[in-house]
Amino acid sequence: MTFERDHRIDFFRGLALIFIFWDHVPQNPLAQFTVRNFGFSDAAEIFVFLAGYAAVLAYGKIARRDGFMVATVKILRRAWVLYVVHIFLLALLMGIVFFANSHVETRDLVQEMGLQYFLSNPQQALMDELLLRFKPNLMDPLPLYILLLLGLPLVLPMLLRKAEYVVGLSVVLYLLAPWLQWNLAGTDGGVWFFNPMAWQLLFILGGAAAIHGQRPRVSQPRPLTRQPVFIAALTYLVVTGLIALSWKWPTVHDAFMPQRLGEWLYPISKTNLSPARLLHFLALAYVTARLLPDTGWARHWLAQQSCRMGRYSLEVFCFGVLLAPLADMLNALGGNTLAMQIFSALLGVGLMALLGAWLDFNKRLNRPIVVTAA
């Protein structure tokens, strides 16, 4: 296994971070162009799948080189860093939301962000925060990633040897979770918005895809239009895309949606990663990988801006979480005009790109200087 870096992974992680930021800003017009508007899945599936892909690439290489014990220690150390970041990020987010709420008179941002629980039960909220149970809006992905990373040492050895066995067990857990109502407890008797028992499948599939991508590739002599899997995936994307677009016009949707199909399809659960969502993402990933092979396009200047954000996904994600309520405040103070909403959305992405560029520059500064004798 060579574990060479695929720049497409960084590019799409960066793109997912942009989509997440835009989706988190209320009434943002650019959110109409994110992936959630054209199918059943959204940027969360992209983020979790590529997190599994990148994690297995990184820690699989360490396990092969230094052993599973070293890889486990590094995984646990990374999970601890993420846990500390989660606590610190939540404190910053609450401060920003309280600040923004004091400047916006037309809405209650504290209530919208799910922070009322902290005001009414501060002691219990702090305890729930330490136990990853208190997760206001925007904060759900990070605790999920922490838990998935903690479980990686349990499956990494088998994943590197017999990935199909791990995927099979993951599918069984995915199917049992909603049937037996397995989930983790949240605040006020609730549960996790991202059910780890279900979303672990996407993380495992990402890791399995990383391993599969290192194997010798068999060339496809037939064009894409004659490959049944590609045609089936593309057809599913077109059909689900039309259904998702029809949600904007309920009368049109009700006119052509068969009643039995609607009863089977809805609700499309995000908490339990509905099979319709999962299948949509897998079809989207497959079609994208087939249409955009690694031919060097991700090294162009504009694509590199997204790649930088993807390489530092933790830092950029946290920054985006903090920028979202600030952009919402800026829009409210500006009268929620279209120009202001577009400006705040583009400004946020620009700042996220600048952070990625700074972190990349800072990393180069910290590289050791090798002096060779003349």
Side-chain angles (χ1 to χ4, degrees):
M1 300 177 69
T2 59
F3 291 99
E4 295 179 357
R5 195 177 194 93
D6 188 335
H7 293 279
R8 295 178 300 170
I9 303 304
D10 293 331
F11 173 81
F12 286 111
R13 289 179 83 176
L15 191 62
L17 292 170
I18 295 174
F19 287 166
I20 290 173
F21 168 68
W22 282 350
D23 288 339
H24 283 170
V25 180
Q27 302 177 358
N28 173 24
L30 297 186
Q32 300 298 318
F33 300 100
T34 61
V35 66
R36 71 175 181 177
N37 298 282
F38 305 100
F40 296 161
S41 63
D42 59 25
E45 280 86 351
I46 301 174
F47 189 80
V48 173
F49 178 85
L50 294 182
Y53 194 109
V56 171
L57 278 183
Y59 299 112
K61 180 180 179 180
I62 294 172
R64 295 278 190 179
R65 185 188 63 208
D66 303 323
F68 289 108
M69 184 60 69
V70 175
T72 297
V73 171
K74 289 183 177 292
I75 291 171
L76 296 179
R77 187 171 62 184
R78 178 63 171 174
W80 170 252
V81 170
L82 291 172
Y83 177 78
V84 174
V85 167
H86 167 74
I87 302 299
F88 184 63
L89 178 63
L90 183 53
L92 284 177
L93 179 64
M94 288 192 294
I96 288 175
V97 172
F98 292 147
F99 169 78
N101 197 55
S102 65
H103 289 77
V104 177
E105 299 179 354
T106 57
R107 292 157 50 206
D108 187 354
L109 299 183
V110 173
Q111 182 69 32
E112 292 179 11
M113 290 292 294
L115 291 174
Q116 195 64 40
Y117 176 74
F118 176 80
L119 295 180
S120 58
N121 303 280
Q123 294 181 350
Q124 185 62 43
L126 289 175
M127 293 176 58
D128 289 337
E129 177 186 355
L130 296 176
L131 296 174
L132 301 181
R133 290 196 301 226
F134 176 46
K135 299 182 294 299
N137 295 345
L138 314 183
M139 291 291 295
D140 293 283
L142 200 53
L144 173 67
Y145 184 38
I146 293 171
L147 203 62
L148 295 177
L149 203 58
L150 286 174
L152 183 58
L154 302 177
V155 299
L156 185 59
M158 183 59 69
L159 196 59
L160 294 176
R161 297 186 179 97
K162 294 289 184 179
E164 58 273 17
Y165 293 169
V166 178
V167 171
L169 292 174
S170 179
V171 169
V172 171
L173 179 58
Y174 165 78
L175 295 174
L176 289 176
W179 185 40
L180 299 177
Q181 297 184 350
W182 288 344
N183 200 341
L184 297 183
T187 56
D188 282 340
V191 295
W192 281 37
F193 181 72
F194 291 102
N195 184 356
M197 312 295 179
W199 282 78
Q200 53 79 29
L201 175 58
L202 207 53
F203 188 82
I204 292 297
L205 288 175
I211 294 172
H212 178 75
Q214 303 304 315
R215 295 171 181 170
R217 300 179 182 179
V218 179
S219 60
Q220 288 282 358
R222 292 182 297 176
L224 291 177
T225 55
R226 296 182 60 187
Q227 296 179 22
V229 176
F230 178 82
I231 295 300
L234 184 61
T235 301
Y236 185 74
L237 291 179
V238 172
V239 172
T240 54
L242 292 174
I243 293 175
L245 288 174
S246 72
W247 294 337
K248 300 179 183 297
W249 302 278
T251 55
V252 175
H253 172 271
D254 296 339
F256 80 83
M257 171 62 73
Q259 183 177 358
R260 290 188 176 181
L261 179 59
E263 292 174 353
W264 173 83
L265 182 62
Y266 301 127
I268 304 176
S269 173
K270 186 172 185 177
T271 294
N272 289 317
L273 189 60
S274 166
R277 291 183 66 100
L278 176 63
L279 187 58
H280 178 266
F281 169 76
L282 294 178
L284 180 63
Y286 181 79
V287 170
T288 302
R290 298 295 293 161
L291 291 178
L292 296 175
D294 188 13
T295 55
W297 59 267
R299 295 179 178 86
H300 295 163
W301 181 86
L302 188 60
Q304 277 298 306
Q305 311 314 306
S306 180
C307 289
R308 284 200 189 98
M309 288 189 283
R311 281 197 291 272
Y312 305 98
S313 58
L314 172 62
E315 295 88 343
V316 175
F317 169 79
C318 294
F319 192 43
V321 167
L322 299 177
L323 287 176
L326 291 175
D328 191 17
M329 181 190 72
L330 186 63
N331 292 339
L333 294 177
N336 281 315
T337 62
L338 179 63
M340 178 59 72
Q341 291 170 342
I342 294 177
F343 171 75
S344 65
L346 294 178
L347 176 63
V349 172
L351 293 174
M352 291 162 64
L354 282 176
L355 176 62
W358 163 252
L359 292 173
D360 204 42
F361 175 71
N362 189 60
K363 183 177 180 179
R364 290 199 300 269
L365 287 179
N366 293 330
R367 288 175 181 169
I369 300 176
V370 179
V371 180
T372 57

